[in-house]
Amino acid sequence: MNESGPGDAYLWIAILLITLSALLTRSGLLVWGTGLKFRPLVQSALRYAPACALAAILVPDLVFVDQHLWLAPDNPRLIAGVASCLIFGFFRSMIGSLIGGMTVYWLLSYFL
Amino acid sequence: MQREAYWRGVRELLPAAPGVFAWGLVTGVAMVKSGLSIEYALIMTFLAYAGSAQLAALPLLVTVAPLWVVALTAIAVNLRFVVYSAAMLPHLRHLKPSARLGLGYLIGDIGFAKFSALLEREPDYPHRVAYFAGGASCNWVLWQASSVIGILAATAIPLEWGLALAGTLVLIPLLVPFCRDRPALGGVCVASIVAVVGHDWPLRLGLVAGILAGMLTALSLERLTARERAP
């Protein structure tokens, strides 16, 4: 670290704050919220949390390349994602879909 | 039986291992390449264990941004974990506070997805907590090991091979089993669109907005379908 960069005290406090934030968001409700009873409506909505969360992480990662939206059939990341999806659909193999998707990506990046 | 469920959790997470590993490597490399020293990168990965929050905080740390901005950013990027922990709360309510704290620390995208997928298949599985602990602690080990390698060997790991993509692609087989009916599919579509539209929003708020919008959509579709079927 050079002199104009962050000092030790700053970095320690910053890292502790990030740790606290991560603990608060993950464990806060579990530790202090045990008295909460969710209404059936909320419980039904929470059942869709994993599907929606995975999609909201996954899809932007495939269509944004270097922070630019690339929503076209020549985007290698997007094609790799579709290929991965198809392979998993047909063969139900997690490793297969990962290797297949990466292979498609490498081939496309090499030839396009 | 608890032990068996724990190892079942480990076993069922392992197919995702290459993706977790690739993503940990990328995060480790990114921390060092952004200018953080090896010592602080190691401290951060072991304490925080929050990949996306760490990556979001890096540019702030390097430019010595105000500490409240760092904290706010970390909380915002981690907001999806509040949703995850709400979904897990009914299953952990009976445990000791220390166990709830520890299991909360282990919550991550993949561990939560595997836990939820188990409950879809076997809603009454008695050792679900041990199953989660197995998968999530396996994820922790994989993540920390790969992060440490990424931090120590930052200059030797070529990011241009698209390693980060492996971390993304591994989410696909996790997502597919949840897309079993119309409400879920509708929720997935809306969550994706909102997350893409909100990609450039500050504090990565597009992500949590996408999740909530998707959940609301799925819930509405579920209610509509139920009404159609009713006599």
Side-chain angles (χ1 to χ4, degrees):
Chain A
M1 290 291 158
N2 57 36
E3 279 183 342
S4 60
D8 287 323
Y10 172 85
L11 282 174
W12 265 108
I13 297 171
I15 290 172
L16 286 178
L17 281 173
I18 297 168
T19 306
L20 270 181
S21 311
L23 263 185
L24 201 68
T25 47
R26 284 187 291 206
S27 300
L29 206 53
L30 295 176
V31 173
W32 292 300
T34 42
L36 285 174
K37 289 264 192 282
F38 297 121
R39 290 187 302 170
L41 205 65
V42 179
Q43 280 175 15
S44 304
L46 283 172
R47 278 197 22 244
Y48 296 105
C52 296
L54 290 169
I57 299 169
L58 167 72
V59 176
D61 249 14
L62 294 180
V63 298
F64 279 91
V65 180
D66 296 328
Q67 301 300 314
H68 291 288
L69 184 62
W70 187 357
L71 205 55
D74 57 344
N75 170 359
R77 294 177 72 91
L78 188 57
I79 307 296
V82 173
S84 210
C85 203
L86 288 175
I87 295 168
F88 185 73
F90 279 113
F91 300 105
R92 293 281 142 181
S93 157
M94 206 162 172
I95 302 282
S97 77
L98 182 63
I99 294 174
M102 287 310 289
T103 309
V104 167
Y105 174 75
W106 284 321
L107 288 176
L108 287 176
S109 328
Y110 186 76
F111 287 113
L112 286 184
Chain B
M1 282 312 282
Q2 296 276 359
R3 183 179 298 254
E4 218 166 280
Y6 180 93
W7 287 109
R8 182 179 169 202
V10 172
R11 227 173 26 247
E12 293 190 4
L13 191 117
L14 278 179
V20 178
F21 208 87
W23 190 229
L25 272 181
V26 170
T27 307
V29 173
M31 284 200 282
V32 175
K33 288 215 167 141
S34 76
L36 206 61
S37 72
I38 289 177
E39 295 90 320
Y40 283 114
L42 289 172
I43 294 169
M44 179 139 100
T45 186
F46 280 108
L47 283 182
Y49 182 49
S52 46
Q54 287 165 223
L55 288 180
L58 276 179
L60 302 173
L61 295 193
V62 176
T63 54
V64 203
L67 287 166
W68 65 269
V69 178
V70 175
L72 193 67
T73 304
I75 290 178
V77 174
N78 279 335
L79 273 180
R80 67 186 189 286
F81 292 137
V82 178
V83 180
Y84 297 178
S85 62
M88 294 189 65
L89 180 59
H91 308 285
L92 307 181
R93 212 190 289 274
H94 61 283
L95 298 170
K96 285 185 301 187
S98 57
R100 283 182 264 130
L101 181 76
L103 289 168
Y105 168 79
L106 287 177
I107 292 179
D109 298 302
I110 295 179
F112 173 64
K114 294 304 291 184
F115 177 73
S116 310
L118 171 87
L119 289 178
E120 295 261 318
R121 281 176 284 138
E122 302 170 47
D124 302 318
Y125 187 63
H127 305 299
R128 58 191 92 157
V129 176
Y131 176 91
F132 171 76
S137 54
C138 174
N139 191 79
W140 188 92
V141 171
L142 287 165
W143 171 266
Q144 299 298 9
S146 53
S147 288
V148 169
I149 295 174
I151 290 167
L152 296 181
T155 48
I157 295 167
L159 290 188
E160 59 275 12
W161 287 358
L163 264 181
L165 183 64
T168 303
L169 290 182
V170 78
L171 301 179
I172 291 175
L174 293 170
L175 172 60
V176 171
F178 288 110
C179 302
R180 67 209 174 284
D181 52 17
R182 264 200 301 175
L185 270 174
V188 162
C189 289
V190 170
S192 310
I193 293 169
V194 172
V196 169
V197 170
H199 182 261
D200 298 327
W201 294 356
L203 304 173
R204 291 197 72 194
L205 286 175
L207 174 60
V208 73
I211 297 172
L212 293 176
M215 286 164 63
L216 269 178
T217 306
L219 184 67
S220 315
L221 287 172
E222 187 187 276
R223 298 283 125 155
L224 275 175
T225 328
R227 203 162 298 161
E228 272 168 26
R229 283 194 190 135

